Amino acid sequence: MELAEYHTLTTLPTPAGPLWIKRGAPGLEDPAYRALAEAVEPRGARAIDLNPGVGVALLPLLAAGLEVDAWEDRRSALRALEASAAEHPGLRVRAALPWQVPEAAYGTALLVFGADRGNAWVRAQLLAAARALEPGGLLWVAGDKKLGFERYLGWARELVGDGEVVARAKGVRVAVLERSSRPAPEAPAEPAPLEAELRGRRLTFWVWPGVFSADAVDPASRLLLEHLPEDVGGAEVLDLGAGYGALSLPLAREGARVTLLEHQLASVWSARRSLQAAGLSAAVHHSDVDEALQENEVYDIVVSNPPFHVGGRVVLDVAEAFVAAAHRRTRPGGRFYLVANPFLKYEVWMHDRFGNVRTLHAGRYKVLLAVKQP
């Protein structure tokens, strides 16, 4: 797959009007979104979708004449939503995080539980729903019973108000809750510190809910750091899928000039806060793979611990796009280092692009290296 194909948006006709979609953007294949779209009944004039993906579940609200705020932090989904907003005057797209919601501003709220991003993220979304809804407003939630739906529904009842399951489709459940008159709960105000020793230095990261490996630096990133060159001082380094900066912050501390690309805004915030707290400077971009970079931007070293899940499902389009972007962004003679699970066949993609690939480590994870030919 070529990068241009990955980045291309296409339109999907629906009874409620056109929906723009793209590779790597969540929400189209997930049955929870479809079940929510079929069940939702609006209340009031304004609605908020706190986990819209490409916007499948909010279309019935637009068709009913509501103004809808799509509250999304993933850049791939935002690109699709922004295109759809041009077709739907009632749709406003927000590149924002749950704890930024206004209080008591909506009659209807939608939420597909983001279980793939952890319990703290789901709780932050539910806190946001409780804050955003007017008393008497309706919260419609959906999720998979195997991914914590009953537990999350219990949290929703504690934070929002009474409710019940109204639809079942195989493993998916949809419930509706009515916002009680109890005071709105406080939203989380600060990220949590995460300390780790990496490349011989004790470092502190500041981590918001919803980021990958929020409790500890993941072992794959640790392994990749061990196989990078000892001297990166002065090198221009690109971190593809940077998360909260587990790879970038140690390299910046050693004098590398680092650029971070990350599609989740929660991770972008975390990386910026961590670098600032450490007194380090780096370019941190909210980006769908490499779309935030200029055409001619290339680097000495590209590093990546790429994602291969979209909404909890294995989707390899994004991983393949990472390899294509790494080849495009590595200057001649430069190196691309990647860490991955053994079952993912990155070697094929890397050899197809670079003409070479070497395994630096094989075990629970593998570390691969490709060199851009002059």
Side-chain angles (χ1 to χ4, degrees):
M1 179 184 64
E2 298 301 319
L3 268 178
E5 182 182 356
Y6 173 82
H7 285 307
T8 298
L9 278 72
T10 59
T11 186
L12 179 69
T14 80
L19 181 72
W20 284 85
I21 59 175
K22 71 170 297 295
R23 289 178 180 266
L28 184 62
E29 303 299 331
D30 189 335
Y33 286 92
R34 296 194 296 272
L36 186 56
E38 292 171 1
V40 65
E41 296 175 7
R43 177 172 291 182
R46 298 184 65 203
I48 183 170
D49 190 335
L50 288 159
N51 188 17
V54 295
V56 171
L58 58 77
L59 287 174
L61 302 181
L62 292 171
L66 274 69
E67 295 181 356
V68 181
D69 284 354
W71 213 266
E72 178 60 66
D73 90 315
R74 294 163 293 187
R75 182 61 189 149
S76 57
L78 283 163
R79 293 179 63 202
L81 288 166
E82 288 162 359
S84 292
E87 310 275 359
H88 299 275
L91 177 60
R92 292 181 299 238
V93 180
R94 312 287 189 182
L97 295 164
W99 44 90
Q100 296 178 282
V101 297
E103 189 173 338
Y106 304 95
T108 302
L110 304 181
L111 176 59
V112 172
F113 292 134
D116 59 302
R117 296 180 65 176
N119 290 337
W121 178 251
V122 176
R123 192 163 189 87
Q125 291 178 313
L126 288 169
L127 284 166
R131 288 183 63 80
L133 280 169
E134 306 163 341
L138 296 180
L139 170 62
W140 295 83
V141 298
D144 193 314
K145 66 178 184 179
K146 295 181 180 179
L147 298 175
F149 177 84
E150 292 297 335
R151 176 172 67 253
Y152 299 149
L153 180 57
W155 293 356
R157 287 174 172 141
E158 293 172 8
L159 295 169
V160 178
D162 293 335
E164 61 181 353
V165 175
V166 295
R168 294 174 172 83
K170 297 184 179 179
V172 172
R173 302 290 182 266
V174 179
V176 60
L177 304 96
E178 184 169 332
R179 177 72 170 96
S180 70
S181 58
R182 74 185 69 154
E186 291 297 320
E190 291 293 330
L194 167 61
E195 293 190 356
E197 185 167 330
L198 301 170
R199 289 171 69 92
R201 289 179 170 85
R202 194 72 182 171
L203 302 172
T204 301
F205 301 90
W206 292 90
V207 183
W208 292 97
V211 307
F212 170 68
S213 197
D215 296 329
V217 174
D218 68 292
S221 292
R222 287 182 173 275
L223 182 65
L224 180 54
L225 284 168
E226 292 172 6
H227 286 83
L228 296 180
E230 291 184 8
D231 183 9
V232 296
E236 293 185 325
V237 177
L238 175 65
D239 187 349
L240 269 171
Y244 54 76
L247 299 176
S248 290
L249 197 151
L251 302 181
R253 174 68 74 191
E254 295 173 17
R257 298 192 297 274
V258 183
T259 297
L260 295 77
L261 301 183
E262 171 55 45
H263 90 122
Q264 290 179 351
L265 190 58
S267 295
V268 169
W269 276 29
S270 299
R272 286 175 177 162
R273 175 67 177 270
S274 300
L275 288 158
Q276 180 183 31
L280 299 170
S281 61
V284 185
H285 299 294
H286 191 206
S287 183
D288 181 12
V289 188
D290 68 336
E291 54 103 13
L293 297 181
Q294 298 298 313
E295 183 70 26
N296 61 347
E297 288 187 61
V298 290
Y299 298 83
D300 302 312
I301 298 173
V302 178
V303 298
S304 188
N305 179 5
F308 60 91
H309 291 99
V310 174
R313 292 165 171 78
V314 175
V315 178
L316 297 181
D317 286 351
V318 179
E320 189 176 358
F322 267 52
V323 175
H327 181 260
R328 178 183 180 185
R329 300 299 177 177
T330 306
R331 63 170 40 100
R335 291 161 287 175
F336 171 40
Y337 294 87
L338 177 143
V339 65
N341 296 78
F343 70 90
L344 296 167
K345 303 303 181 184
Y346 285 97
E347 293 92 336
V348 175
W349 296 332
M350 291 173 70
H351 193 276
D352 286 346
R353 296 283 177 181
F354 289 85
N356 67 91
V357 63
R358 205 166 53 135
T359 301
L360 303 182
H361 177 89
R364 180 184 174 191
Y365 302 100
K366 59 187 176 184
V367 177
L368 306 177
L369 166 64
V371 179
K372 181 77 167 282
Q373 301 302 309

